[in-house]
Every structure is written in C-alpha cells, then in structure tokens.
Amino acid sequence: MATILLIHGPNLNRLGKRDSLNYGSKTLADIEALVTAEAEELGHTVKSFQSNHEGALIDYLQNESGNADGIIINPGALTHYSYALLDALIDTGLPCVEVHLSDINSREEFRKISVTAPACIAQISGKKEAGYIEALKILHKKLAKNV
Ligand code: DQA
C-alpha cells in the first residue's frame, strides 16, 4: 500500500563491524531485511538507501520522495549538524521517523542534539534494531489515518 524510504547516513554501512555495545551486532543488510519483512506483513514496500555523503542523501530524498509515502531515517552523525538534511526532509512533506541504534541522550554531549528531529514526527533512540520496527509501526498508524 505505502512506499517507505529507509535511509541510512554515514558509517552505517559498517554496522556489524562498529562498536557493538552502542550499535548492536546486526549488519545494515540484516536491518534492511528485518524492516522489509515487517513492512511486507503490514502491506508496505520498503526502498533502502545508504550513503556516506550528505549530498547523495539529499539527492535521493529529492528524487524519490515524490513516489513515497513515508521515511525512516538514521542520519548517523549528520543528525547532529546537517541543516541541509533537515531542509531536505522538510521539503519532502512526508511523515518521517528518526531512528538511532544507540541512546544518543546518554553519550557524548554533541550527540544529544538532533538538528534533523524537527522534521520528524518521532525520534526513537537506544533500542538497537527494534527501534526500526517501532518506527515502522508509527508510520503505519500515521498513514492509515491519512487514508
Ligand atoms: C547513530 C548515532 C550517531 O551519533 C552516530 O554518529 C551514528 C549512529 C545511532 O544509530 O546510534 O553514526 O545515529
């Protein structure tokens, strides 16, 4: 029914090899498969994209948002400083949920600030890969209300 963009920012292609205490042990492919399977159960399609480049993420949002209904995004470190990504998310006009594997509120000071969260209807942090399923359910409810 709905098309959901699942977007990952810098360094998240390294999941599975990164600090597992913060980020868990799942690879990006594991997470994409998990979200895709759960979305299919709910009748939705997922389009996944990861880039280490801010501009590539913005290009993707500009090119794909017109054919999508919602966004789940883990912007990685761009969360903390990318006003360009904030603007791109706002411009999509789509409901967006921000996900962080780690608890960004219990780590270094700079991680407590999300400049992208104001573009999002919810932020989920610290629930590892389960956070993505929660995000999917939030979008599912929101999109059902819009029908
Ligand atoms: C992250 C948290 C960010 O602070 C960090 O830069 C990441 C991953 C998370 O999923 O916990 O790359 O977004």
Side-chain angles (χ1 to χ4, degrees), residues 73-146:
I73 187 164
N74 181 344
L78 292 172
T79 305
H80 314 301
Y81 65 88
S82 178
Y83 294 104
L85 187 57
L86 167 70
D87 283 349
L89 288 169
I90 291 169
D91 283 354
T92 67
L94 296 177
C96 174
V97 180
E98 179 173 304
V99 177
H100 298 285
L101 293 152
S102 66
D103 179 3
I104 59 171
N105 293 308
S106 67
R107 299 181 65 194
E108 303 94 319
E109 281 303 307
F110 77 89
R111 292 191 204 272
K112 293 181 182 163
I113 292 164
S114 169
V115 303
T116 48
C120 301
I121 58 170
Q123 184 199 64
I124 298 157
S125 166
K127 298 188 174 173
K128 305 276 183 334
E129 61 277 2
Y132 291 88
I133 301 303
E134 198 173 318
L136 189 60
K137 289 183 176 159
I138 290 170
L139 275 184
H140 177 67
K141 267 197 196 151
K142 169 85 182 157
L143 294 170
K145 274 189 202 144
N146 291 349

Side-chain angles (χ1 to χ4, degrees), residues 3-4 8 10 14 17 21 23 32 35 37 39 45 52 55 61 63 73 81 89 96 98 104 107 116 136 138 143:
T3 298
I4 292 164
H8 284 90
R14 303 260 316 149
K17 298 190 187 89
L21 222 58
Y23 302 127
E32 288 174 347
V35 178
T45 301
N52 292 325
L61 284 167
N63 293 333
I73 187 164
Y81 65 88
L89 288 169
C96 174
E98 179 173 304
I104 59 171
R107 299 181 65 194
T116 48
L136 189 60
I138 290 170
L143 294 170

Side-chain angles (χ1 to χ4, degrees), residues 6 8 15 26-42 44-49 129 132-133 136:
L6 174 62
H8 284 90
L15 288 176
K26 298 272 189 253
T27 65
L28 180 57
D30 292 338
I31 290 172
E32 288 174 347
L34 188 77
V35 178
T36 300
E38 186 72 23
E40 277 171 9
E41 292 272 312
L42 297 170
H44 306 310
T45 301
V46 171
K47 274 183 163 177
S48 300
F49 181 73
E129 61 277 2
Y132 291 88
I133 301 303
L136 189 60

